[in-house]
Amino acid sequence: MTTSFGAANTVIPNNPNIRIRSFNGLKPSHSLSIRTNLRAFPVPYASRSSVVRAVSTPVKPETETKTETKRSKVEIIKEQSNFIRYPLNEELLTDAPNVNESATQLIKFHGSYQQYNRDERGAKSYSFMLRTKNPCGKVSNQLYLTMDDLADQFGIGTLRLTTRQTFQLHGVLKKDLKTVMRSIIRSMGSTLGACGDLNRNVLAPPAPLVRKDYLFAQKTAENIAALLTPQSGFYYDMWVDGEQIMTAEPPEVVKARNDNSHGTNFPDSPEPIYGTQFLPRKFKVAVTVPTDNSVDILTNDIGVVVVSDENGEPQGFNLYVGGGMGRTHRLETTFPRLGEQLGYVPKEDILYAVKAIVVTQRENGRRDDRKYSRMKYLISSWGIEKFRSVVEQYYGKKFEPFRQLPEWEFKSHLGWHEQGDGGLFCGLHVDNGRIAGKMKKTLREIIEKYNLNVRITPNQNIILCDIRKAWKRPITTALAQAGLLLPRYVDPLNITAMACPSLPLCPLAITEAERGIPDILKRIRAVFEKVGLKYNESVVIRVTGCPNGCARPYMAELGLVGDGPNSYQKRQTKDESFGDFTNRMGFEKLQELVEKWEGPAKATARYNLKLFADKETYEAVDELAKLQNKNAHQLAIEVIRNFVASQQNGKGLSCISQQAASLIKAPPIAA
């Protein structure tokens, strides 16, 4: 239910029930007369410490009582880093294969994590993972080819597409970091802010549709990403010796960033929004259009939804706040959370509203215990009404009532589609987002030959953009020969499945995810067949190697969360077909059905005349299928699917029966 807030342009009067304590150091130039002694978080963790504010400079007035408020180690590292430079700049010059603890925290802001191969025993073999920052998942032709080259020259030979529409490059050695970073920057790419305590990559629907709402959503995502990009120059100082290789920012972004009419900025600071402390933890934003939930809108700190009029003209935005997936292993006071409705803003105000939300988190998010530092815990503690009131102080207006939205749908954007400008785009499924081997070689050849730009999707897939219609046939043929199949040839379970990289490189991983999900999906498919579910029926399955939720498992119908070696926690959630079913039935009823279930009813033998010309052929295929725990129909479909995928488009279809026959006559392979 939405609440009416009255006039949209009314500045909020001081609320005696909401008191905001000022912070030490250089203060924003606002003069809120309200103060607070309210605890920011409830039991069980409120008593651990009071809220710690962002500090623009560590210098305190001499007249102030010298009392220290508890801060996490990372907060001190950030404050003493000279805006994310020291000691990383010195550590990169040493001969050691790794960097020290402080530099390990700081390099995250530059878009990199230090890792080591956990499959190996003995001395640790250190390397670095680099993550790019690609608002809307947009990747230029030049950047894609550069990333492809870097993966071979300095990485482990593979590219990984992430759930936040970016690349991850694994296996880069410390001595090669500057070369790799410089190459990315000179190809008009960036890794700045892809990790660390600041705004991460901004999601948006990846489809290159020439539609007003999609184009507006994507432009808004790019503007929000620009607004919240660090300004102090540490990234360019470190990797390209201070040379700033950037495109000009839109004037509306510059204006919103510099605006301090409601006390949002640190005046005269190299980081007007972030200060020396940046944010308490990572911060995630997604923008989308009504119905298109390819971005998992409610899992973000801020969810932005375009609202258009009856003519399709964008008018403003609905805002959700407080989503987040991560939690701490076996600590029940941490939890995943869905975003809540904050309100509506006209389109010209979106950057100011987003900035106000970020500043509210900057000033009030916990800085003493990083387990509770995400904005979702602040909102959970305060409640949405108090949070809205404080945000409105920094926004300078009241939010308008939330506009009604239609039901959300998952849109994969896979397959061939019209862009709307005469061109085509082709969405390709990539298992777990891992581009390697022949697939990698073929993608590069196509992207290079046809000079294509690409998009990365929030479901770890890739979209080839701006394809001329005359190119469709040769591209389809080349893709099929490399195993990049159209969605109708991919198991429906695989289409929506996601997994994080997990072992061997992620230091947080408790068990397998990416390497384990292929077998998990096969076992689930076998269960489907055993209980008689049709092939085209599916369940959204997501697997993570730890509770941090990088593959958003808590939003899946079946989420497997790493709990220990070869062990997972299982959770089913709503908003999808299987989830709706479980909610409607309830836990007790489901448990009753499971306990009473005696297995699928055995159907009489039958054959599909669309696949088999005669009963003899059917029985021969059925006999072979039993050796693989399949039925004749499933095996025949598999043979046809594999054959079509391996042949040139439209050729050799008359030979299918011959291949099937040869398969039937072949002797079984000994176990």
Side-chain angles (χ1 to χ4, degrees), residues 414-540:
L414 296 180
W416 286 95
H417 303 272
E418 298 273 355
Q419 288 185 174
D421 58 358
L424 303 173
F425 72 87
C426 182
L428 301 169
H429 172 72
V430 180
D431 276 336
N432 305 313
R434 183 70 67 180
I435 300 177
K438 188 175 182 181
M439 176 197 302
K440 181 173 176 292
K441 180 176 182 291
T442 300
L443 273 176
R444 186 203 171 87
E445 290 172 350
I446 292 172
I447 291 167
E448 189 169 29
K449 178 179 179 179
Y450 297 100
N451 195 31
L452 303 180
N453 298 316
V454 306
R455 305 274 179 97
I456 301 171
T457 83
N459 229 54
Q460 301 177 294
N461 297 319
I462 193 167
I463 295 175
L464 306 181
C465 307
D466 308 312
I467 302 172
R468 296 181 186 176
K469 292 183 178 180
W471 300 343
K472 179 178 179 180
R473 187 181 184 91
I475 288 177
T476 300
T477 298
L479 291 172
Q481 291 174 340
L484 283 158
L485 308 178
L486 296 178
R488 64 178 176 271
Y489 299 125
V490 181
D491 189 320
L493 289 175
N494 292 62
I495 289 288
T496 54
M498 290 200 297
C500 70
S502 194
L503 295 172
L505 292 176
C506 179
L508 302 175
I510 300 170
T511 189
E512 297 284 1
E514 180 182 338
R515 296 192 300 190
I517 196 172
D519 285 340
I520 291 172
L521 294 178
K522 288 178 183 177
R523 292 171 63 184
I524 292 173
R525 173 56 65 194
V527 172
F528 270 41
E529 293 169 353
K530 181 178 179 181
V531 301
L533 290 175
K534 295 179 180 179
Y535 182 80
N536 62 357
E537 294 191 49
S538 185
V539 169
V540 178

Side-chain angles (χ1 to χ4, degrees), residues 85-92 99 103 106-107 110 238-239:
R85 292 176 174 87
Y86 174 82
L88 177 60
N89 51 356
E90 295 184 355
E91 285 290 301
L92 291 174
V99 297
L106 297 180
I107 201 170
H110 296 259
M238 199 77 69
W239 308 112

